[in-house]
Amino acid sequence: MKKWLSISIVGLLAASMAAGCSSGKPAATGKDNNPAPASAPDKTGAPSASSAQDELKDKLELNIMAISYEGGGWPANNPMIDYLNKKFNIDLKFQWISQDNYKEKLNVMAASGEFPDSFLLMKDDFLKWRDKGIFLDIKPLLAKYPNLAKQLGGEEQLQFMSPKGKYYSFPYYQIETQTSFGIRKDWLDKLGLQMPQTLDDFYNVTKAFAKQDPDGNGKNDTYGFSASLLANKTDFKHIDQIKAAYGLVNTWGLKDGKVISWHSQNKELKDFAAFMAKAYAEGVLDKDFAINKVKDPQDKYEAGKVGIDDVVPNVFYQTIEPNLKKIDPKGETVQLLPPKGPTGLQGTATNAITQRIVINAKIDAKKQDRLMKLFDYLVSDEGNTLTKNGIEGVHYKKEGDKYTKLDAFDKDRPILISAWYLRRFDLNTQIRLWDDKTMVDNVNKWFKNSEPFKWTNVAAGLESPTDTKNGTTIDQKFMTALIKVIMGEQPVDSLDQAVEQWKKDGGDKITQEYNEAYQQTQK
């Protein structure tokens, strides 16, 4: 994981099209699922004219560092690396660092002053080093790379978190309303229940799922819903819709023009905690919610042990539903819109695009240009197809209008660039050429249905030095108090003390800093 490898990134998809299966060369495309013919004019922005070839005559080594998740990164001899090396006359190397050690690795590099040519950063590290002269301002260069200007969210996203007039990073795209509740419709039908509309409905349905043997196995072995904590244990996962229904803000929100934290919303917190405590005490909420790993609720849904889960739609159709069908062939899931809270509020899990890709300002102009050419290609029509599906004839084949995945796709995982590093703003970023059209339509419908329920963190792109330094510690302390209430170990009113302690430990200072930063954005 800690040695330089040839290329990788975040992902789910890759794409490509070729003049012939044997060549392994992707052809230009129009829309993702409608490849253009091989004779279509080049839309990629990749070098093609003789002058452009002259710019590529010197072979350059490009080093990129990315976060590695399950399964690690690409080995040095991956076909995707070979293809890009040849296309751009480069020796492309990726240093794959596991998510658990990534921050530590960055700090070591910062101490030595030796950063890679390009690397991925989370919000805190980006803001920490943004004004240190480490990152290349890409704004003056963008005119030469039209795909980067067009396909990465435009000026708003390129400017995000940089000083006015500077573009110090590219965004790592995440679908804002990426997740949605899915509910076992076959369980509803078996128990004679209607789709829940309100939180009260939600509770009654999930209690029935827990108590009325919806799977018909004669055992008391199901829960209504589950949850987990985030990896850093500062918040919950899988139940944002319940928090939003009670009027809690998404970490940070606005009230009367001021930035507030959910940690300071006494009434809303106590209402939410009372709901969760009741669900826990009555066996409606998964008893292991506080020790679950992030993916455990999904695994339990797939295993038929939970009736509602917060899922990513494309992952649902590609993975969760097939796994559920193996357990229960009659299992049927439909989308459940966020339940309405006591005052009619609704919201769903909403991502902020705070992961950023930067280019090292210290590398020479030739390397800067070659990286920009590479990145511009990756978000072009052709590059988007390549990074979502792989190389035609290697990772998939095309016969007429039909596309078929080949075994090498799962072995080579050509999607890692798109999945773990750089990809265009594309709702279908996780959809492949061979995916069933009905499934694709269903995924897009889920995304469209969730769009009206955005629940935005207003401080996502703002900086608070105190939050960066101490926020995780005081948030974890607060979560410990909240979990004790939910598990019945402390009364609900004890949250008043937890709120005051959070403020005293640094919450008030963090709130002040975020308000000052927010006011600067309003000028």
Side-chain angles (χ1 to χ4, degrees), residues 142-323:
L142 272 184
K144 289 178 60 179
Y145 312 99
N147 294 301
L148 291 172
K150 177 183 178 183
Q151 301 292 355
L152 292 179
E155 180 179 0
E156 179 181 355
Q157 284 298 332
L158 291 166
Q159 178 71 72
F160 189 55
M161 295 202 297
S162 288
K164 190 172 183 179
K166 303 284 187 182
Y167 297 168
Y168 283 139
S169 66
F170 298 113
Y172 166 66
Y173 173 61
Q174 291 181 289
I175 299 168
E176 286 185 281
T177 50
Q178 185 180 20
T179 65
S180 176
F181 272 152
I183 184 169
R184 288 289 296 271
K185 184 178 182 302
D186 57 310
W187 286 11
L188 286 173
D189 293 344
K190 179 175 181 178
L191 301 178
L193 302 170
Q194 299 298 312
M195 285 282 288
Q197 304 292 322
T198 67
L199 270 181
D200 286 343
D201 297 339
F202 180 94
Y203 192 86
N204 292 334
V205 165
T206 52
K207 184 173 182 179
F209 284 174
K211 300 297 183 181
Q212 296 182 23
D213 192 24
D215 58 357
N217 68 354
K219 300 178 182 178
N220 184 21
D221 60 352
T222 54
Y223 289 107
F225 67 104
S226 185
S228 70
L229 304 187
L230 295 176
N232 64 2
K233 303 187 187 312
T234 59
D235 204 341
F236 295 105
K237 187 78 172 172
H238 297 274
I239 54 171
D240 282 350
Q241 293 88 335
I242 299 175
K243 290 175 63 182
Y246 277 112
L248 290 167
V249 298
N250 183 4
T251 310
W252 296 91
L254 287 177
K255 183 178 182 180
D256 300 326
K258 301 290 186 181
V259 179
I260 64 168
S261 170
W262 76 289
H263 303 91
S264 65
Q265 294 181 271
N266 295 54
K267 180 183 184 307
E268 293 87 347
L269 274 167
K270 288 193 282 187
D271 289 345
F272 164 73
F275 176 93
M276 295 291 287
K278 181 180 178 183
Y280 182 83
E282 295 186 353
V284 177
L285 169 63
D286 177 9
K287 293 287 187 183
D288 292 330
F289 81 95
I291 59 173
N292 279 338
K293 294 180 181 178
V294 170
K295 191 171 174 289
D296 285 348
Q298 176 182 314
D299 291 341
K300 292 179 181 184
Y301 188 88
E302 291 178 8
K305 299 303 180 184
V306 174
I308 293 176
D309 188 32
D310 193 36
V311 299
V312 178
N314 60 280
V315 174
F316 168 75
Y317 284 106
Q318 293 170 349
T319 303
I320 300 174
E321 184 179 52
N323 289 341

Side-chain angles (χ1 to χ4, degrees), residues 351-402:
N351 291 318
I353 303 175
T354 57
Q355 294 184 47
R356 314 301 290 185
I357 297 143
V358 299
I359 293 178
N360 190 339
K362 295 182 179 180
I363 62 176
D364 63 42
K366 281 188 176 182
K367 274 198 170 188
Q368 292 173 7
D369 176 67
R370 200 70 60 90
L371 270 170
M372 294 288 281
K373 280 184 168 66
L374 171 64
F375 289 172
D376 191 69
Y377 170 73
L378 293 175
V379 299
S380 70
D381 287 345
E382 180 183 314
N384 184 52
T385 304
L386 174 71
T387 58
K388 287 171 59 173
N389 306 281
I391 301 168
E392 183 179 355
V394 176
H395 300 117
Y396 69 94
K397 65 180 179 179
K398 180 177 183 289
E399 298 173 306
D401 294 332
K402 181 182 179 182

Side-chain angles (χ1 to χ4, degrees), residues 106-107 110 121 125-132 134-135:
L106 284 171
N107 288 333
L121 288 172
D125 288 322
F126 175 79
L127 292 174
K128 179 170 63 177
W129 293 320
R130 182 191 62 193
D131 303 318
K132 307 293 186 183
I134 297 171
F135 311 144

Side-chain angles (χ1 to χ4, degrees), residues 26 39 65 163 266 285 306 364 436 440-441:
S39 59
M65 188 168 81
N266 295 54
L285 169 63
V306 174
D364 63 42
D436 178 74
V440 175
D441 290 344

Side-chain angles (χ1 to χ4, degrees), residues 443-515:
V443 168
N444 288 332
K445 184 177 180 181
W446 280 47
F447 285 142
K448 183 178 180 180
N449 289 343
S450 296
E451 184 74 17
F453 305 108
K454 286 183 180 178
W455 185 52
T456 305
N457 177 357
V458 300
L462 304 178
E463 183 175 13
S464 161
T466 304
D467 196 12
T468 300
K469 183 179 180 181
N470 298 323
T472 297
T473 299
I474 67 171
D475 290 356
Q476 288 173 343
K477 183 177 179 180
F478 179 88
M479 283 296 292
T480 297
L482 179 54
I483 289 168
K484 286 182 178 180
V485 171
I486 293 172
M487 297 179 71
E489 297 174 13
Q490 293 290 335
V492 170
D493 285 343
S494 69
L495 285 174
D496 290 329
Q497 181 180 349
V499 169
E500 293 309 308
Q501 190 65 49
W502 179 86
K503 292 178 178 180
K504 180 180 177 181
D505 289 344
D508 276 342
K509 181 67 173 175
I510 294 170
T511 303
Q512 176 189 339
E513 291 171 354
Y514 275 133
N515 271 284

